[in-house]
């Protein structure tokens, strides 16, 4: 899977898709939707669709696709490669949402929660398939939030398509299982090949599973939190796990209208630039990118 576009810029979102099989434009098709990486504090969330003609659904089932969470990494990679080989009747598309995009959406002035982001991303991928000429007649979706309201929303947007939204759809419908595999393979590859722009921080890739309850992940977050600029862009800084570490490991911010008792013990921002202690602080990339250096005299 070619994620070079994401590697060039992993701050936003990246859409990838296979060529559309000719048969999928002619015959009625089923389409499945699933995601990978909704819960982790590290890395992107990936939404995927997979589609094939209804007449070839048995051929997709014959690949023995299954919920990606029940498969090993090698099994997922093998099945994705097999779907690539069967590109004469199987198509897929992905939307990779960066940690930065997820967190800035959730913490923006106008709140955009993860469920809404997920719903809109799934809708966008279904529309992408239709725009590409895929003759979609049935859609199966693994639910996010209440299945009934989600299904009603999708059905209203796509009135000419029969929509089914169910919990555990990735275990019930092979076309959703296939989408689940595509999403998981893409996310795993994105995390493994993540291009850190924070090169001066001596970042390591020993971050465990990336889930909030993983002690290894928490230890990595504590090692790599910058006291003023926060976390590397691999981190979803809106997650409670990340926020808790910022509260204990990063510098406090005191606003002009803060109560006096809140300001007691707070350090001045100028202390950040003074390189306190036996080792001088290495300049953050914010200063390097802008060619800024400390001024010793005015």
């Amino acid at each position: 899977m070619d994620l070079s576009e994401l590697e060039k810029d992993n701050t936003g979102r990246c859409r990838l898709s296979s060529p559309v099989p000719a048969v999928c434009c002619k015959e009625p098709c089923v389409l499945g939707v699933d995601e990978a990486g909704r819960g982790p504090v590290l890395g992107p969330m990936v939404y995927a669709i997979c589609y094939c003609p209804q007449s070839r659904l048995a051929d997709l089932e014959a690949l023995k696709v299954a919920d990606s969470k029940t498969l090993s990494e090698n099994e997922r990679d093998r099945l994705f490669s097999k779907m690539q080989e069967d590109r004469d009747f199987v198509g897929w598309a992905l939307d990779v949402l960066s940690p930065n995009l997820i967190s800035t959406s959730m913490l923006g002035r106008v709140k955009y929660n993860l469920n809404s982001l997920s719903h809109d991303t799934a809708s966008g991928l279904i529309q992408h398939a239709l725009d590409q000429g895929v003759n979609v007649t049935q859609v199966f979706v693994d639910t996010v939030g209440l299945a009934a309201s989600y299904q009603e929303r999708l059905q209203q947007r796509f009135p000419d398509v029969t929509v089914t939204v169910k919990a555990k759809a990735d275990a019930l419908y092979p076309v959703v299982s296939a989408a689940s595999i595509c999403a998981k393979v893409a996310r795993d590859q994105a995390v493994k090949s993540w291009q850190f722009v924070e090169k001066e921080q001596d970042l390591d890739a020993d971050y465990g599973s990336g889930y909030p309850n993983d002690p290894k992940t928490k230890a990595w977050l504590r090692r790599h939190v910058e006291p003023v600029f926060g976390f590397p862009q691999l981190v979803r800084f809106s997650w409670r796990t990340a926020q808790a570490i910022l509260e204990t490991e990063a510098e406090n911010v005191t606003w002009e209208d803060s109560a006096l008792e809140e300001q007691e013990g707070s350090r001045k921002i100028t202390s950040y630039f003074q390189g306190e202690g036996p080792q001088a602080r290495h300049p953050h990339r914010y200063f390097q990118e802008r060619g800024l250096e400390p001024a010793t005299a005015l």
Side-chain angles (χ1 to χ4, degrees), residues 34-137:
D34 200 9
E35 53 77 24
R38 180 177 166 82
V41 66
L42 300 180
M45 177 172 70
V46 180
Y47 256 84
I49 58 171
C50 186
Y51 53 87
C52 73
Q54 292 180 1
S55 63
R56 303 293 298 272
L57 193 54
D59 295 327
L60 182 64
E61 292 183 42
L63 298 180
K64 299 189 183 302
V65 292
D67 175 6
S68 65
K69 295 185 290 296
T70 68
L71 302 171
S72 69
E73 183 176 355
N74 287 338
E75 288 173 324
R76 291 192 297 266
D77 289 342
R78 179 185 63 78
L79 286 169
F80 180 74
S81 296
K82 185 61 180 170
M83 283 189 277
Q84 293 282 76
E85 293 173 9
D86 291 335
R87 57 183 175 270
D88 62 321
F89 75 95
V90 177
W92 54 266
L94 305 169
D95 208 346
V96 184
L97 282 63
S98 73
N100 186 67
L101 182 144
I102 294 169
S103 290
T104 53
S105 296
M106 294 175 66
L107 297 179
R109 182 170 295 179
V110 178
K111 302 302 179 187
Y112 188 27
N113 64 37
L114 193 61
N115 278 8
S116 295
L117 182 60
S118 298
H119 293 166
D120 291 344
T121 301
S123 296
L125 282 171
I126 297 169
Q127 186 62 56
H128 173 73
L130 293 169
D131 292 343
Q132 293 293 103
V134 180
N135 184 16
V136 180
T137 57

Side-chain angles (χ1 to χ4, degrees), residues 30 34 168:
V30 293
D34 200 9
K168 307 296 183 184

Side-chain angles (χ1 to χ4, degrees), residues 218-258:
K218 289 182 178 179
W220 186 91
L221 288 168
R222 290 192 179 92
R223 283 200 307 275
H224 296 300
V225 61
E226 214 285 335
V228 169
F229 292 94
F231 293 107
Q233 290 181 355
L234 178 66
V235 179
R236 301 181 192 178
F237 54 84
S238 59
W239 259 231
R240 182 57 195 160
T241 301
Q243 292 180 347
I245 291 173
L246 286 173
E247 289 169 1
T248 58
E249 305 292 336
E251 298 289 352
N252 292 324
V253 174
T254 301
W255 304 100
E256 289 184 357
D257 57 354
S258 297

